Amino acid sequence: MSLAYFALIVSVVSASALDIAGATFGAQLGTLAAALGLLAAALSARKADYEHYVRATSWGRWILIAIALCIAAQLAPLPLRFAHPIWTSAHEVIGGLSLGPITADIGLTVNALLLALAAISLLGVAILVVRNRIRAELVLFVLSGVTAISALMLDLHRLSPALAATVPHDHLTASLAGLGLMLNLAVMQLAAERAETHHSVVRSVAIGLCGLVGALVSAAAIFGLSGTNSAIAAAFGVVLILLILVIRRLDLSPLAASALSIAALAGAAIVLTFLFEKSSGPILLRLVPEMGAETKAALERMLADTRWFGAGAGTFVAVGRIYQSDASAVLTTPSAAISVFAGMGWVGLIAMIAVSLLALVRLFFGALQRGRDSFFPASAAACVLFALVQSFAGPGLLHPAAILCLSVIVGLGLSQSVSQSGSR
């Protein structure tokens, strides 16, 4: 598994660092590293590794495969009734075959399919690689460091633009800052667990201080320099970590733990209901930042035309030009959820929410059962909750760096929620 582990680290670091630096080949390098990691893991996997993977993904691996198959189906010739209305209108005007691909741009959808496959591959590779607790800790350190550096870039850019003049994707860095907050809180818990189990006190304090610095940097970026809705999404993640910590530390009975969890769920539902009711219009537009009347009208027309299978994964910008009064204008994606809905329709949006909720539940219960290593699945559950809410508030999670990092985080949490420490 050494080569798979190396490829995993290269994929995460290259994709995030190069994407933040503005390089155009970060996603391609990350995808290639994910493919190498999958090949290496497949060649070196043992029966015990396979059984571990099956246990870790029993919550919904078929849904993950179904998402990739749905994107691939958008490239196949299908009856036009499944496609976007623009294809039906074009057929009525110019005639031709009543068959065609769902996607409005084959190249963009192929890129989206490759990115989806890379994310699924990295999730699987992470599950296999981090069975070993030492590797799990190292992967956590890498993820927390990469996301904290992203948050620091946003802090420096907002506080002193001359010092950090180029931060090409503020939405990306804000999303990574939210993930970094959860991960660095996990690093602090790891340091505390080490101190309690008679590890080196000096090393535990050093790790704890690194986690504290990363958490403070990330908190400054997400709570102080990002939008209100992003800050609320991050707050949900922090509350979830605290909820798991309280249940474990107080050793609550199942009844008390259930009551506390239901109360937290009810509170989250009230907050989300309040946020969605603050504005009117389509529900997918209610958490996004304010936009011009013309842009909002174009988005509303676009969403109204979207059918069950969308217009092709990754084709939001290409299809958006049709709805702009100015043909040269670019309709940017206001949120990840809108992009998923426009690209893959209700099927894709429902699948995204279902996968997130299933993973969240699996990680939550895994954290409660894991014991002293509960911070791995707990932080992953918090990251999934943050990502789910954040996907309705901004487009940062559409960037390859965020997608690949989140895949590894979920894989880390799933693997350690069922794993037993040991060397592999």
Side-chain angles (χ1 to χ4, degrees):
M1 288 292 173
S2 298
L3 181 57
Y5 170 71
F6 175 74
L8 178 75
I9 298 300
V10 169
S11 180
V12 171
V13 174
S14 62
S16 56
L18 293 175
D19 206 340
I20 293 171
T24 58
F25 58 90
Q28 290 83 351
L29 184 57
T31 301
L32 288 175
L36 176 61
L38 180 62
L39 178 62
L43 293 176
S44 59
R46 304 172 183 176
K47 182 180 178 181
D49 295 321
Y50 175 75
E51 292 173 349
H52 175 75
Y53 174 82
V54 170
R55 291 201 313 274
T57 58
S58 60
W59 56 276
R61 59 181 173 274
W62 301 115
I63 297 181
L64 294 174
I65 297 173
I67 292 174
L69 291 177
C70 286
I71 298 176
Q74 293 182 324
L75 301 168
L78 295 172
L80 290 180
R81 67 176 179 273
F82 295 111
H84 195 274
I86 59 174
W87 296 127
T88 305
S89 301
H91 175 70
E92 292 173 351
V93 173
I94 63 178
L97 296 176
S98 58
L99 298 175
I102 291 175
T103 177
D105 190 304
I106 292 176
L108 292 175
T109 300
V110 169
N111 289 336
L113 176 60
L114 293 176
L115 182 58
L117 292 174
I120 295 171
S121 300
L122 273 183
L123 189 149
V125 171
I127 289 174
L128 296 178
V129 165
V130 301
R131 285 189 66 193
N132 181 296
R133 192 178 189 275
I134 296 176
R135 285 180 178 165
E137 291 182 2
L138 293 175
V139 170
L140 177 62
F141 292 152
V142 170
L143 288 169
S144 62
V146 166
T147 51
I149 291 173
S150 302
L152 180 61
M153 291 295 294
L154 180 59
D155 292 338
L156 294 177
H157 177 67
R158 295 291 179 86
L159 297 177
S160 179
L163 185 60
T166 57
V167 179
H169 304 302
D170 278 2
H171 293 296
L172 168 62
T173 49
S175 296
L176 290 179
L179 299 177
L181 176 59
M182 316 306 162
L183 294 169
N184 281 282
L185 289 176
V187 171
M188 294 172 64
Q189 292 183 59
L190 184 153
E193 294 287 354
R194 278 192 168 192
E196 291 180 358
T197 52
H198 308 293
H199 282 74
S200 170
V201 175
V202 175
R203 184 175 299 178
S204 299
V205 170
I207 293 174
L209 288 176
C210 290
L212 177 60
V213 171
L216 291 176
V217 168
S218 301
I222 194 67
F223 291 118
L225 303 175
S226 301
T228 301
N229 293 333
S230 297
I232 292 174
F236 282 163
V238 174
V239 169
L240 181 60
I241 290 178
L242 294 177
L243 174 65
I244 294 172
L245 189 62
V246 167
I247 292 175
R248 284 194 58 252
R249 288 294 183 178
L250 297 182
D251 195 20
L252 297 180
S253 65
L255 181 61
S258 299
L260 186 61
S261 300
I262 292 173
L265 183 62
I270 292 172
V271 173
L272 288 176
T273 301
F274 172 76
L275 291 177
F276 277 103
E277 289 182 349
K278 280 174 59 179
S279 59
S280 58
I283 193 168
L284 289 178
L285 293 176
R286 294 189 181 183
L287 294 186
V288 300
E290 291 294 328
M291 62 190 75
E294 183 177 345
T295 301
K296 187 174 182 179
L299 284 169
E300 289 178 349
R301 292 195 302 270
M302 185 177 181
L303 295 178
D305 282 343
T306 300
R307 296 185 178 180
W308 278 96
F309 299 98
T315 63
F316 182 92
V317 174
V319 176
R321 293 192 181 96
I322 301 171
Y323 295 88
Q324 290 280 75
S325 56
D326 182 2
S328 62
V330 177
L331 187 63
T332 57
T333 307
S335 74
I338 290 176
S339 180
V340 171
F341 177 72
M344 299 184 64
W346 284 110
V347 172
L349 183 63
I350 292 172
M352 180 196 79
I353 296 174
V355 168
S356 300
L357 292 178
L358 286 171
L360 178 60
V361 172
R362 180 68 183 86
L363 290 166
F364 177 77
F365 285 105
L368 295 181
Q369 299 167 1
R370 187 66 178 108
R372 71 184 182 92
D373 292 337
S374 64
F375 53 84
F376 288 113
S379 61
C383 288
V384 170
L385 180 58
F386 165 75
L388 181 59
V389 180
Q390 171 69 8
S391 66
F392 289 87
L397 292 169
L398 291 173
H399 292 276
I403 293 172
L404 298 182
C405 283
L406 187 59
S407 296
V408 175
I409 291 169
V410 174
L412 172 64
L414 289 174
S415 184
Q416 283 296 313
S417 66
V418 299
S419 179
Q420 298 295 325
S421 298
S423 300
R424 292 286 175 192

